[in-house]
Structure formats: C-alpha cells, structure tokens
Amino acid sequence: MTVSQPLLTLARYLLGEFDNREQALADPAWYVHLRLWHRKVPLFQEDSVTIFAEQANIVQLDKPYRQRILRLTEGQNTHAPLKAQYYMPKNPTALLGAGRNPDLLNRLTYDQLELLPSCVLDVKQDTLAPNSYKFTATPPANTLCSFTYGGSTIQISLGFESTEDRFMSFDKGIDPSSGKATWGAILGPYRYNKREQF
C-alpha cells in the first residue's frame, strides 16, 4: 500500500471506540449519549485506508445504526491534500453490530458497497505541536451529500475534525424540501473522546 504519512496518521486518529459522555452529561437535552466505532476494513488497500463507522445510543448498544464506509485517499486539492469518500452498505443489516463484532467486516466485498459520489470531504492537516495534528474535513464548496435510500432522497451536511484523542462530528440530516437540519449536530458538533485505540 502506498499512502502518505499524513493519511496514515489520520487513519490512526480515526480508528477506535469513542463516546460523548461528558457532552451528554453537560447538555442532555440536546446531546444523546452515544458510542461510536471506527473499524478498519480490508478493502481498497492498494491506495487508501477504509473505515467502517457505526454508532449506538449508550442505553441501546445492541441496536446500532448509521452504518457507513469511509475511504481515505490522497486528494487533488493543495489546501486539503487528503480526501474522505463515503460509501453505503447495500445491506446495512448484514453489518449490524460490526462496531463491537469486527469479524463481520471480514466478509465485506466491493460489490456490497454503493459509492455515494456527492458524499466526499476535503481534509486538511494542521500542526498543533511536534507530532500532533488536527485534521479538518469539509465538503467542497456548494456541495451537499445526497443519495436515495428506501425510495426517499436523503441529504446530509457532512464534516468532522479529528485529533489523536478526540473526534468531532458535524453531520446533520437536511430536509430536502425546507433545507433545514432535522437531526445530528444542529447546535454544534458531537464531541467524542477516544476510549480505545483500534
């Protein structure tokens, strides 16, 4: 696999088990206490690192949701030299619980994924201190992640920030008719702390 050191660092920062306990306790009216898993997937290894993401309410860990695949590659933008491309499992229920049971990911193949062409982020790296970085992922200008699922049009405003021990999700669901956010980081990002490194 030929990928850059910044891409490998981003992957290391993202991989792990996270939760937003402190945020949920401080502001329970707006932030559900969530567990988030980012697991490495053995796909697209020739030029990228691929990650399976899944989350669950802390009181219903047996009912995870929002299964998605994130492929990290080199980008073309000099200001944001990395790229994060999203894919959707064609059968999300087949991967249900893979955050806690990563063996389920060993059966995943390319043809079980659907590329979401408009769901892509440009990723830039900032140095915080020697060997310490912050990665910021934002969509290209004037783009919105949009796809069809279950006969409905789904729109999501994507974005994240990552440091070695923290992950912030700016993802919001958007109502296609009104353009307003309906779920997710409506009042600001979900702030996850890494509890375990994968």
Side-chain angles (χ1 to χ4, degrees):
M1 179 171 67
T2 56
V3 298
S4 68
Q5 191 58 48
L7 191 149
L8 292 174
T9 301
L10 171 60
R12 180 168 55 86
Y13 283 11
L14 290 178
L15 290 169
E17 182 176 304
F18 303 77
D19 73 36
N20 68 326
R21 180 178 183 273
E22 292 81 0
Q23 181 184 46
L25 288 173
D27 201 352
W30 289 104
Y31 294 98
V32 176
H33 187 183
L34 299 175
R35 180 78 46 86
L36 171 69
W37 297 271
H38 287 156
R39 295 273 188 184
K40 190 171 180 182
V41 177
L43 293 176
F44 306 112
Q45 296 182 86
E46 65 280 0
D47 64 352
S48 57
V49 176
T50 305
I51 295 172
F52 168 81
E54 181 175 61
Q55 65 193 49
N57 187 310
I58 201 74
V59 298
Q60 293 183 306
L61 293 178
D62 60 332
K63 296 182 180 177
Y65 59 96
R66 277 202 78 206
Q67 292 79 17
R68 55 213 179 273
I69 303 292
L70 184 59
R71 182 182 179 189
L72 308 174
T73 63
E74 310 294 337
Q76 306 298 321
N77 185 336
T78 55
H79 300 291
L82 303 177
K83 184 171 81 168
Q85 173 68 62
Y86 285 84
Y87 293 73
M88 178 174 61
K90 291 179 181 175
N91 180 13
T93 56
L95 299 176
L96 206 62
R100 296 172 76 188
N101 181 12
D103 289 344
L104 294 173
L105 299 172
N106 294 331
R107 293 178 270 183
L108 190 61
T109 59
Y110 301 103
D111 60 345
Q112 294 173 321
L113 301 180
E114 179 182 343
L115 173 67
L116 304 177
S118 66
C119 303
V120 63
L121 298 171
D122 292 327
V123 185
K124 71 172 186 171
Q125 173 185 343
D126 294 305
T127 301
L128 301 177
N131 300 312
S132 178
Y133 308 96
K134 177 176 81 170
F135 293 92
T136 304
T138 55
N142 303 313
T143 64
L144 188 67
C145 172
S146 181
F147 56 94
T148 302
Y149 179 73
S152 300
T153 297
I154 308 295
Q155 290 186 349
I156 304 174
S157 173
L158 295 171
F160 67 80
E161 286 184 7
S162 183
T163 58
E164 188 165 14
D165 56 2
R166 182 173 247 199
F167 177 78
M168 294 199 302
S169 172
F170 293 85
D171 294 0
K172 295 187 289 286
I174 305 297
D175 182 325
S177 58
S178 69
K180 294 183 178 179
T182 57
W183 58 261
I186 296 173
L187 293 185
Y190 271 76
R191 300 175 183 273
Y192 296 95
N193 291 307
K194 184 176 285 189
R195 306 303 183 189
E196 183 179 351
Q197 177 72 49
F198 295 154

